[in-house]
Amino acid sequence: MYPLKRNRRLRTSSAIRSLVQETAISPNDFLVPLFVVEGKTIKEEITSMPDYYRLSLDNLEKEVKELWQMGLKAILLFVKVPDTLKDNKGTEVLNENGLMQRAIKTVKNACPGMLVMTDVAFDPYSSFGHDGIVAEGRILNDETTELLAEMSVSHAKAGADFVAPSDMMDGRILAIREALEDEGFTDTGIMSYSAKYASAFYGPFRDALDSAPVDIKNVPKDKKTYQMDFSNRFEAIRETEMDIDEGADIVMIKPGLCYLDIVREIRNEVDVPVAVYQVSGEYAMVKAAAERGWLDHDAVMMEQLTAIKRAGANIIASYFAKDAVQLLG
């Protein structure tokens, strides 16, 4: 009771504030997304994601070595597939010498200790820009799931430590887990995008990979038949629990800031690690506002990252990872 208890006593100096701080960010919190392209000596800035780049394999090698020296120990790989290799059958996803497979090997050869997670999704390879096979105006679930399972095995053979299915097809976690077990990859983990919402925040990412749905007759114009309705809360818990039952080792909520209530709900319900993806639109907004002098880039960045961890995230996939770690010193 006031005045016997004065809460401000614990805020009187930076020393006491640090001593009683409940949430702290460290390099161990981060999963670093990396975009890979064909070619050599390519470090191409993504227009809608300032200070973030598409990297050819030689520059990917340099990047992972730098990340490791900074204390960043986990990456999430995405590939930008040439249009000539895209189709509606997933032909390229199983190419043992495909860009993703070569990227995995490049990282492991350059930095064996780096934890490599791979994006398991059809959209970078799809001529329609969808996460599944398209037929008669529908995204086929079971046929896509079979392909995702084969894709996961291909990534595991190349050396991936974890596969990260981001497609939101029903039953794909069980199919992937069974396929990995059948091929002897019992130690290969699955980080499932369990609650991935149909969000407007993905635009810059789709620019980075040229993976937006195409505007063609009889093809869905968005991903709302498989990604979740952002109005829904309990559905996220149901989706996540099902993924855990099917064999997911880590579950993910995507995007981040607008969904911190979902992060806390899921953290309270499950006993596996929870990841959050702070997505490209969230990154781009901070960069754009900071460029105009409307906010303090570093202060807002750290406030957002701390909020995500405070909400319950064990892992934060973020384009701010290097910026944050450099700021932490």
Side-chain angles (χ1 to χ4, degrees), residues 11-310:
R11 304 173 197 151
T12 54
S13 69
S14 60
I16 188 60
R17 290 193 298 272
S18 297
L19 195 64
V20 300
Q21 182 175 313
E22 298 176 22
T23 306
I25 299 294
S26 84
N28 293 330
D29 294 317
F30 290 108
L31 175 62
V32 185
L34 294 175
F35 299 116
V36 186
V37 294
E38 293 283 10
K40 293 182 179 179
T41 66
I42 296 173
K43 186 176 182 180
E44 179 181 42
E45 187 174 32
I46 302 161
T47 304
S48 54
M49 296 178 67
D51 304 322
Y52 224 80
Y53 302 87
R54 303 180 189 93
L55 304 170
S56 53
L57 294 178
D58 50 342
N59 278 322
L60 174 66
E61 180 177 341
K62 295 175 183 176
E63 183 71 11
V64 296
K65 288 179 178 178
E66 180 181 342
L67 293 173
W68 186 261
Q69 290 176 349
M70 295 175 67
L72 291 161
K73 303 172 185 176
I75 61 169
L76 178 57
L77 290 175
F78 299 91
V79 294
K80 185 178 186 296
V81 179
D83 288 344
T84 54
L85 297 178
K86 295 181 180 183
D87 59 25
N88 190 37
K89 300 177 181 178
T91 305
E92 182 63 15
V93 302
L94 303 181
N95 182 357
E96 292 183 1
N97 197 40
L99 182 57
M100 177 64 85
Q101 288 80 354
R102 283 180 282 131
I104 297 165
K105 293 174 184 177
T106 295
V107 174
K108 283 300 185 180
N109 288 335
C111 192
M114 183 68 75
L115 183 78
V116 177
M117 296 192 182
T118 59
D119 180 48
V120 173
F122 191 55
D123 55 331
Y125 302 87
S126 169
S127 51
F128 295 125
H130 274 288
D131 292 59
I133 298 168
V134 180
E136 298 179 352
R138 296 175 55 245
I139 311 301
L140 303 183
N141 190 93
D142 296 356
E143 293 85 346
T144 299
T145 293
E146 292 176 12
L147 182 62
L148 296 172
E150 293 181 67
M151 186 178 181
S152 297
V153 171
S154 178
H155 292 186
K157 287 180 178 178
D161 300 293
F162 270 73
V163 293
S166 60
D167 54 285
M168 291 299 288
M169 298 296 124
D170 290 335
R172 91 274 204 214
I173 302 303
L174 180 59
I176 291 170
R177 186 70 266 164
E178 289 180 341
L180 291 171
E181 296 291 319
D182 289 345
E183 293 292 331
F185 294 107
T186 56
D187 291 333
T188 303
I190 300 174
M191 180 179 72
S192 174
Y193 289 57
S194 296
K196 182 178 180 179
Y197 286 86
S199 171
F201 283 91
Y202 302 147
F205 175 93
R206 292 172 183 170
D207 290 343
L209 295 184
D210 188 24
S211 61
V214 298
D215 189 5
I216 297 177
K217 185 179 180 181
N218 297 326
V219 175
K221 303 299 188 294
D222 55 44
K223 301 188 177 187
K224 292 181 180 179
T225 65
Y226 45 99
Q227 294 180 358
M228 287 176 49
D229 183 342
F230 60 73
S231 303
N232 293 355
R233 170 185 168 196
F234 296 112
E235 182 183 16
I237 299 171
R238 183 167 68 249
E239 288 275 3
T240 301
E241 289 177 338
M242 288 177 67
D243 282 358
I244 294 170
D245 289 343
E246 291 179 18
D249 302 286
I250 300 170
V251 295
M252 178 185 276
I253 297 91
K254 181 180 180 180
L257 286 179
C258 291
Y259 301 88
L260 294 185
D261 58 323
I262 307 301
V263 177
R264 175 45 58 186
E265 290 274 7
I266 290 175
R267 177 68 283 166
N268 288 343
E269 291 290 331
V270 307
D271 57 3
V272 302
V274 173
V276 172
Y277 203 138
Q278 186 185 34
V279 299
S280 59
E282 298 171 80
Y283 173 88
M285 288 192 302
V286 174
K287 289 291 184 180
E291 284 178 1
R292 288 159 177 78
W294 294 344
L295 50 74
D296 182 321
H297 175 280
D298 291 349
V300 172
M301 172 184 70
M302 294 308 297
E303 186 173 345
Q304 290 187 355
L305 292 169
T306 302
I308 291 170
K309 186 172 182 181
R310 188 185 66 232

